[in-house]
Amino acid sequence: MSKYIPTIGLEIHAELKTKTKMFCSSKNDPNEEKANINICPICMGHPGTLPVINREAVKHVLTVGTAISGKLADFTEFDRKNYFYPDIPKGYQISQYKYPLVSGGSLAGVEITRVHLEEDTAKSTHHANYSLIDFNRAGVPLMELVTEPVVKDAQQASQFAKELQILLRTLQVGEANMEKGEMRVEANISVMREGDNQFGTKVEVKNLNSFKVVEKAIEYEIKRQSKLLDEGGEVIQETRGWDEAKQETFSQRIKEGSADYRYFPDPDLPKLHISKIEEFSGENLKNILPELPWEKRERYKSQYDIKEEDADMFVRDEFLAKLFDAVAEQFVGGNMLIKTASNYITSDIAGLVKQGGGKSDKLHENISAENFAQLMSMVHGNEISSRGAKDILKEMYENGGVPKEIAEKKNLFQKSDEGELKQIIEKIIEENEKVVTEYKNGKEAGLQFLIGQGMRATQGSANPEVLKKLFENLLK
Ligand code: ADP
Ligand code: MG
């Protein structure tokens, strides 16, 4: 089989968080459960109605553009994209064609082609012999971001989508939950023979609704196309979907060219001269940007010297980050303690939250930064073992409480009282004559065994460092 090099370009749609829809004052509420509640003559496409541009939605897209260092349009307009489908009440979708709000920029090392603004379609659900349609979603502001064909593999594609999700949440412009359809990924995939200098024909896979599916569909397509070409076949430009049951992509339709949509500027909407709108000046938008995900990652690493994966977890999980930030504040300058805290939060606490069904409420109700900091100090001062710390943490997570009191109650303080330990040790020495002799004759491993016996005799409550010192002194 020849070697094939994949090329991927992504088109990602994300619903924007706004009070009202893109061109009318119907509510934009993705959590509305009752169908066809948030609708009006405008988003239902009744004749004679007129759309009005949603300022908040425009600002959201420009904010994203600013964050990715894209070029904000000076002049922009909306176009009608004409096609018929029951989920599109006007018979066209208002979108942007020639003059997107944002051009260029980059995110997670991937060059962005454009970011534009359009409206979402209604939501259809198909049943055995009928279909239902909910227009609550029709006209919800939808951002579309298109990347250049520069993504190299499935993993990079899902990595990119994850970074975009975090960015949208950070900027508070969208929730971007893939399982709720708030963010939807389309992947354009082609392969070319190694050594070729021209892209192969691309296939577009639509409606990828989780990061995992993004990866699986891309991997599947790369294999399918490579095999097809290897057998002398030809890839045809088409739109495919992902079949979760069969774990494969399937052909949906031969792709229509843009000419089929008969794009033209929407005559009902004013053109926008972005640079003339004070609120949308690049300067203004820059000033309101919060700390961006990649900036936060960098700050965590340089300020606290914590691991890359830990920093990344804090960027992705605001609840864990909140605890970490508060604890770091208590340990200003104490980078060793902060690193220990980071380890415990990203492994033990993240584990507890995951076991508890991923809900972080309990974490903040039950574990205060002060108490968590106290626990970290206890670990550092060797007052408790790491095993003990895990038990205390679990108890704190389940029922709250102060670590010192829990350690007391559960008898988890390591015994460092030399007098008390000495008696136990003398007994162990008596009972293990053979090991003791071997150790005295130079077999170092014997000491570990004796310490182990000491831990056992104290049910793990002895401080192993102290035990070690006592054994060494007695057996000198
Ligand atoms: P179309 O006109 O078919 O919509 P575009 O040029 O607008 O194609 O590109 C749509 C998406 O497809 C972009 O994300 C782009 O990066 C990607 N793309 C374009 N050509 C290829 C290719 N040969 N292989 C993979 N992706 C591609
Ligand atoms: Mg296109």
Side-chain angles (χ1 to χ4, degrees):
M1 189 163 159
S2 321
K3 195 165 163 30
Y4 292 93
I5 298 165
T7 301
I8 301 148
L10 300 168
E11 294 171 278
I12 304 186
H13 285 93
E15 287 177 355
L16 297 175
K17 199 155 64 176
T18 54
K19 282 190 219 51
T20 56
K21 290 188 183 179
M22 188 59 230
F23 298 110
C24 64
S25 52
S26 292
K27 232 165 109 184
N28 170 12
D29 180 4
N31 297 320
E32 175 59 63
E33 277 170 16
K34 204 147 186 252
N36 297 310
I37 287 288
N38 295 320
I39 56 172
C40 76
I42 298 175
C43 56
M44 292 301 287
H46 290 190
T49 55
L50 282 172
V52 175
I53 299 170
N54 184 328
R55 175 184 286 263
E56 202 186 1
V58 173
K59 189 171 181 177
H60 283 352
V61 173
L62 294 173
T63 306
V64 172
T66 307
I68 61 172
S69 306
K71 186 177 176 306
L72 308 189
D74 194 19
F75 170 86
T76 185
E77 66 183 4
F78 288 92
D79 296 280
R80 291 186 181 178
K81 179 182 182 180
N82 300 280
Y83 66 100
F84 173 78
Y85 202 70
D87 66 9
I88 189 123
K90 293 190 291 290
Y92 58 85
Q93 177 194 33
I94 305 179
S95 179
Q96 294 194 288
Y97 188 54
K98 248 196 189 148
Y99 300 100
L101 275 167
V102 177
S103 308
S106 81
L107 178 68
V110 173
E111 293 160 274
I112 308 300
T113 312
R114 55 186 277 155
V115 191
H116 70 248
L117 185 52
E118 54 190 36
E119 53 179 339
D120 210 346
T121 57
K123 188 173 180 170
S124 8
T125 32
H126 303 290
H127 299 263
N129 42 24
Y130 63 96
S131 290
L132 293 174
I133 192 148
D134 177 4
F135 286 93
N136 287 342
R137 202 182 70 178
V140 161
L142 194 63
M143 181 192 97
E144 178 174 349
L145 178 147
V146 182
T147 79
E148 290 289 293
V150 292
V151 176
K152 301 282 173 231
D153 56 34
Q155 233 245 315
Q156 193 191 0
S158 74
Q159 204 55 42
F160 177 85
K162 281 181 193 164
E163 189 74 343
L164 179 62
Q165 181 185 61
I166 297 168
L167 178 65
L168 297 178
R169 290 176 180 173
T170 304
L171 298 174
Q172 295 185 20
V173 301
E175 291 300 332
N177 289 309
M178 288 192 77
E179 69 284 2
K180 284 196 191 168
E182 290 165 344
M183 182 165 113
R184 312 191 281 268
V185 176
E186 289 162 38
N188 297 269
I189 304 143
S190 67
V191 300
M192 58 179 168
R193 268 202 183 82
E194 191 168 37
D196 276 7
N197 55 7
Q198 212 185 342
F199 287 151
T201 303
K202 73 177 161 75
V203 161
E204 180 180 350
V205 188
K206 270 193 183 296
N207 292 325
L208 304 173
N209 58 6
S210 77
F211 297 116
K212 199 73 228 156
V213 165
V214 169
E215 285 181 25
K216 286 197 285 192
I218 292 175
E219 271 159 15
Y220 180 88
E221 261 312 295
I222 293 172
K223 282 206 194 105
R224 185 187 70 86
Q225 293 178 21
S226 304
K227 184 159 177 278
L228 194 60
L229 293 178
D230 230 37
E231 289 166 352
E234 219 179 299
V235 175
I236 47 168
Q237 186 165 342
E238 62 182 341
T239 302
R240 298 176 75 90
W242 173 250
D243 186 328
E244 183 58 28
K246 292 191 183 150
Q247 296 284 300
E248 59 185 37
T249 64
F250 63 96
S251 180
Q252 286 182 313
R253 57 189 147 91
I254 304 306
K255 194 178 163 56
E256 52 289 278
S258 56
D260 296 338
Y261 290 122
R262 298 281 182 263
Y263 278 101
F264 67 89
D266 192 308
D268 289 341
L269 290 166
K271 319 277 175 202
L272 294 181
H273 294 269
I274 297 294
S275 59
K276 293 195 181 132
I277 306 171
E278 171 74 17
E279 190 188 352
F280 296 157
S281 81
E283 205 47 42
N284 258 342
L285 292 166
K286 254 196 205 111
N287 285 338
I288 57 165
L289 282 188
E291 183 178 36
L292 299 170
W294 48 94
E295 293 170 345
K296 193 167 178 180
R297 238 175 246 129
E298 249 343 278
R299 177 171 62 80
Y300 276 136
K301 279 194 292 173
S302 61
Q303 197 172 342
Y304 304 124
D305 192 32
I306 61 172
K307 284 181 292 198
E308 173 111 33
E309 311 93 83
D310 288 10
D312 192 49
M313 194 181 262
F314 294 142
V315 168
R316 275 183 285 122
D317 190 321
E318 59 173 322
F319 287 101
L320 295 183
K322 212 167 119 192
L323 179 62
F324 177 74
D325 287 341
V327 173
E329 208 164 286
Q330 307 223 351
F331 290 144
V332 177
N335 269 11
M336 282 314 291
L337 271 162
I338 292 175
K339 276 190 197 177
T340 305
S342 174
N343 283 337
Y344 273 87
I345 294 174
T346 53
S347 55
D348 297 282
I349 292 194
L352 288 167
V353 173
K354 204 167 166 195
Q355 275 171 33
K359 284 251 179 294
S360 309
D361 323 14
K362 213 153 115 185
L363 170 60
H364 288 288
E365 275 165 33
N366 289 348
I367 305 184
S368 71
E370 288 77 13
N371 282 336
F372 184 71
Q374 185 185 87
L375 182 69
M376 291 301 101
S377 302
M378 286 158 69
V379 172
H380 249 253
N382 271 323
E383 293 172 55
I384 50 172
S385 64
S386 57
R387 178 67 256 161
K390 285 179 204 295
D391 290 348
I392 295 172
L393 206 51
K394 186 155 198 286
E395 173 65 22
M396 286 167 77
Y397 178 75
E398 296 297 338
N399 304 311
V402 182
K404 285 213 158 112
E405 292 168 9
I406 300 172
E408 198 70 60
K409 213 163 56 203
K410 292 187 177 256
N411 204 14
L412 288 170
F413 274 116
Q414 302 201 96
K415 289 206 176 62
S416 301
D417 176 353
E418 301 195 2
E420 191 182 336
L421 286 178
K422 214 166 155 192
Q423 288 181 5
I424 299 172
I425 283 178
E426 281 166 349
K427 193 156 165 265
I428 292 172
I429 292 176
E430 246 176 65
E431 287 168 357
N432 294 281
E433 237 173 86
K434 195 165 154 250
V435 181
V436 169
T437 317
E438 281 172 2
Y439 170 68
K440 281 184 172 166
N441 290 334
K443 198 172 163 197
E444 281 293 323
L447 184 61
Q448 274 317 311
F449 173 80
L450 294 172
I451 295 171
Q453 295 300 305
M455 294 304 287
R456 228 173 96 182
T458 57
Q459 276 134 18
S461 67
N463 182 337
E465 287 302 311
V466 177
L467 280 180
K468 181 162 182 264
K469 203 182 82 196
L470 288 173
F471 273 120
E472 279 172 347
N473 285 340
L474 280 171
L475 298 176
K476 247 201 310 254

